[in-house]
Amino acid sequence: MSLLPTPPQSTLTVISTIPASTTTLAAPRPAVILPGLGNNTGDYKDLVLTLREVYGLPSVVTKVSRVDWLRNAAGLLDPNYWRGTLRPRPVLDWYRAVPSPLGPINATADRYLERVEEAVAEAKQLLADGGKISLIGHSAGGWLARLYLEEFGASNISLLLTLGSPHLAPPKDLPGIIDQTRGLLDYVEINCAPAVYTPELKYICLAGRYIRGARLVGNSKDTSNNLNPVDEEPNDSESIKDAGNKKSLPATPSLRARFIGQGYKQVCGEADVWGDGVVPEVSAHLEGALNISLDGVYHSPVGSDDTTRPWYGSPSVLAKWAHHLLT
């Protein structure tokens, strides 16, 4: 079987909406969901339910609590944090299944991200012989999934699908930009395998276009700061639209757009870009992956709803990408 062509990062992909009833598998491929920063396992219960009830796909969420993420503060004690050269060990050692009673873990003697491995092992119990599973990484869970593949291998994984994950480290040559991962994304880029979309292991990155940010002072190059509306009656396919074609635009950016823009700027170096309210579109795409942008999609299950502010896992949005889990 020949390799599929690698879509360029800048390509805006047309997405077909395929109802679950028209796509079947002899044996469903289970999915393991990696929560985003600050999210816990329970935040994804509705996504798990929809995957099972509508698409017949079992899924397992990696066991993470909100308090667990506070353990990242241990990185403040690492000199690499202040140099911006932070590494996964030991700051992410809390992601182990069982905290070590011996203190810091020797990177050559033990493996981290064992909570993900536990979820993968649980998903494997749902597999037919010779089957593989999918990884779904939300937000920071997307690049944690890349670290997992590097540490544990991809022999049992056929798909890595990321939802609003900040894959690219912020630019280092712009004043006022602080890498919030303090070097972790640089580590991922340098040490993890590149995203090569192949039939054996597919990389798919979803980005949301919920709101366009704006500069803190002055007008942006484009004043279309409106929320990107969700189609109430979706067509058979969805493509990127110019949100400014359907309604009149404000003469100046809103305060909300300016505030959101400052968050975008810290991630990608620019404020007046589209994004999902947390992660800018350009940062959620990864060179070599199948990159997809979705209009009107918010970043997180927390603070979302399924109508006015749907997130990546809301039923109407899931209908636009679930078929990737079925093929």
Side-chain angles (χ1 to χ4, degrees):
M1 181 181 294
S2 62
L3 297 182
L4 298 177
T6 301
Q9 183 178 3
S10 59
T11 297
L12 298 178
T13 306
V14 175
I15 316 144
S16 297
T17 302
I18 303 178
S21 59
T22 64
T23 307
T24 59
L25 284 179
R29 183 173 60 204
V32 170
I33 300 169
L34 283 72
L37 179 66
N39 291 109
N40 63 23
T41 305
D43 292 337
Y44 303 89
K45 63 181 185 302
D46 290 338
L47 173 58
V48 170
L49 180 64
T50 305
L51 286 173
R52 183 179 70 245
E53 298 297 327
V54 178
Y55 300 95
L57 290 173
S59 57
V60 179
V61 185
T62 304
K63 292 180 174 59
V64 177
S65 71
R66 297 195 208 286
V67 174
D68 283 331
W69 293 105
L70 296 177
R71 300 183 188 181
N72 285 348
L76 295 171
L77 303 178
D78 189 332
N80 285 310
Y81 178 92
W82 304 103
R83 291 193 290 261
T85 56
L86 199 61
R87 299 295 181 261
R89 313 294 302 270
V91 68
L92 291 175
D93 280 343
W94 66 265
Y95 224 112
R96 295 181 66 238
V98 179
S100 172
L102 303 178
I105 303 167
N106 187 319
T108 62
D110 204 353
R111 301 194 295 185
Y112 64 119
L113 298 177
E114 289 178 349
R115 298 192 192 202
V116 184
E117 178 66 0
E118 279 191 342
V120 168
E122 185 177 345
K124 286 179 183 177
Q125 301 300 314
L126 307 173
L127 276 174
D129 291 340
K132 294 189 176 185
I133 67 175
S134 301
L135 293 181
I136 301 174
H138 170 232
S139 195
W143 55 263
L144 285 170
R146 294 185 66 194
L147 286 172
Y148 170 81
L149 291 176
E150 193 66 28
E151 181 77 12
F152 289 84
S155 61
N156 295 301
I157 311 298
S158 62
L159 168 67
L160 171 57
L161 189 146
T162 64
L163 311 174
S165 295
H167 288 294
L168 307 179
K172 297 175 175 55
D173 55 350
L174 294 179
I177 305 300
I178 300 175
D179 179 5
Q180 298 173 60
T181 70
R182 305 306 297 147
L184 285 175
L185 284 178
D186 285 317
Y187 179 93
V188 172
E189 181 63 25
I190 294 170
N191 294 279
C192 292
V196 180
Y197 184 99
T198 70
E200 292 73 31
L201 178 57
K202 301 174 183 177
Y203 285 80
I204 301 177
C205 300
L206 304 188
R209 288 168 59 92
Y210 178 73
I211 184 172
R212 185 183 179 97
R215 300 171 186 173
L216 187 60
V217 179
N219 291 337
S220 296
K221 293 176 290 185
D222 184 344
T223 58
S224 54
N225 298 294
N226 298 37
L227 299 184
N228 211 344
V230 181
D231 292 336
E232 295 181 358
E233 297 180 358
N235 299 320
D236 290 337
S237 64
E238 182 186 16
S239 60
I240 297 304
K241 300 184 297 293
D242 180 358
N245 287 338
K246 292 187 176 181
K247 59 176 69 176
S248 60
L249 302 175
T252 58
S254 66
L255 290 176
R256 182 182 184 188
R258 294 186 190 277
F259 177 78
I260 294 292
Q262 298 320 295
Y264 290 167
K265 185 176 180 179
Q266 292 301 316
V267 179
C268 73
E270 294 186 66
D272 51 350
V273 294
W274 279 99
D276 62 14
V278 175
V279 175
E281 179 182 14
V282 64
S283 298
H285 286 169
L286 187 60
E287 184 177 358
L290 176 61
N291 293 313
I292 298 171
S293 294
L294 298 170
D295 281 346
V297 176
Y298 181 66
H299 180 77
S300 176
V302 177
S304 68
D305 61 62
D306 292 338
T307 53
T308 61
R309 187 188 283 183
W311 83 288
Y312 296 96
S314 294
S316 62
V317 180
L318 183 55
K320 302 178 189 302
W321 58 266
H323 58 283
H324 292 293
L325 302 173
L326 298 165
T327 56

